[in-house]
């Protein structure tokens, strides 16, 4: 059974779920536990080394994955880099979601309001 571990600051959209099922063969989606989700979503910008900070997430991956599981990783650049390399070392398949940005400007006579929509395109391997 193909699985995808989700390391993001948000839930997947239906479009992303359907794409992962259809194009990657994913049958099970595994989100981080709430405590680790909070940890990932709040990586401190003021510490020099985040290796110790990321240990609980690496431990989760170590204990909850098997080779060839997908790991969807997006977030803080440095943390993402470290988790992607960890995943590769463990024979996991790290991926990220690509998006198309659609911007619309609405002018109401006094001001211009810009609305940005992010549409999922595909998953790409790191």
């Amino acid at each position: 059974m193909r699985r995808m571990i989700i390391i993001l600051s948000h839930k997947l959209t239906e479009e992303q779920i359907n794409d992962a099922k259809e194009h990657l063969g994913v049958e099970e989606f595994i989100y981080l536990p709430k405590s680790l989700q909070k940890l990932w979503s709040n990586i401190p910008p003021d510490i020099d080394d985040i290796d110790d900070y990321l240990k609980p997430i690496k431990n989760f991956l170590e204990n909850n994955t098997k080779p060839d599981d997908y790991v969807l990783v997006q977030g803080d650049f440095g943390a993402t880099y470290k988790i992607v390399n960890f995943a590769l070392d463990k024979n996991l398949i790290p991926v990220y979601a690509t998006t198309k940005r659609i911007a619309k400007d609405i002018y109401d006579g006094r001001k211009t309001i810009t609305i940005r929509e992010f549409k999922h395109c595909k998953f790409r391997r790191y």
Side-chain angles (χ1 to χ4, degrees):
M1 173 185 347
R2 253 336 196 342
R3 303 176 323 157
M4 179 181 276
I5 292 71
I6 314 300
I7 304 178
L8 290 174
S9 296
H10 55 83
K11 299 278 187 192
L12 294 179
T13 65
E14 281 300 315
E15 193 173 18
Q16 289 173 318
I17 291 168
N18 292 336
D19 182 37
K21 287 178 178 179
E22 183 178 334
H23 293 105
L24 301 179
V26 173
E27 298 176 41
E28 181 180 3
F29 297 88
I30 301 170
Y31 285 92
L32 294 173
K34 283 189 181 217
S35 61
L36 296 182
Q37 181 66 47
K38 184 176 179 182
L39 188 102
W40 182 257
S41 298
N42 295 287
I43 295 174
D46 57 344
I47 60 175
D48 291 329
D49 185 354
I50 58 173
D51 287 328
D52 285 342
Y53 186 87
L54 293 175
K55 276 184 183 175
I57 292 172
K58 289 179 179 179
N59 289 340
F60 178 84
L61 288 173
E62 186 87 54
N63 295 320
N64 293 280
T65 60
K66 58 186 185 341
D68 294 327
D69 279 346
Y70 287 100
V71 182
L72 175 57
V73 187
Q74 288 181 231
D76 173 271
F77 184 80
T80 296
Y81 176 82
K82 289 176 179 284
I83 295 298
V84 165
N85 283 308
F86 180 81
L88 289 168
D89 288 345
K90 299 298 177 185
N91 296 312
L92 303 171
I93 304 168
V95 296
Y96 63 98
T98 65
T99 57
K100 180 178 183 177
R101 289 166 179 82
I102 303 165
K104 296 177 187 175
D105 289 332
I106 301 169
Y107 181 67
D108 71 359
R110 295 181 326 234
K111 61 184 177 244
T112 301
I113 299 169
T114 302
I115 300 172
R116 289 186 180 85
E117 177 184 350
F118 296 89
K119 182 168 177 37
H120 174 75
C121 289
K122 66 179 287 172
F123 292 104
R124 186 182 292 151
R125 287 182 183 218
Y126 279 98

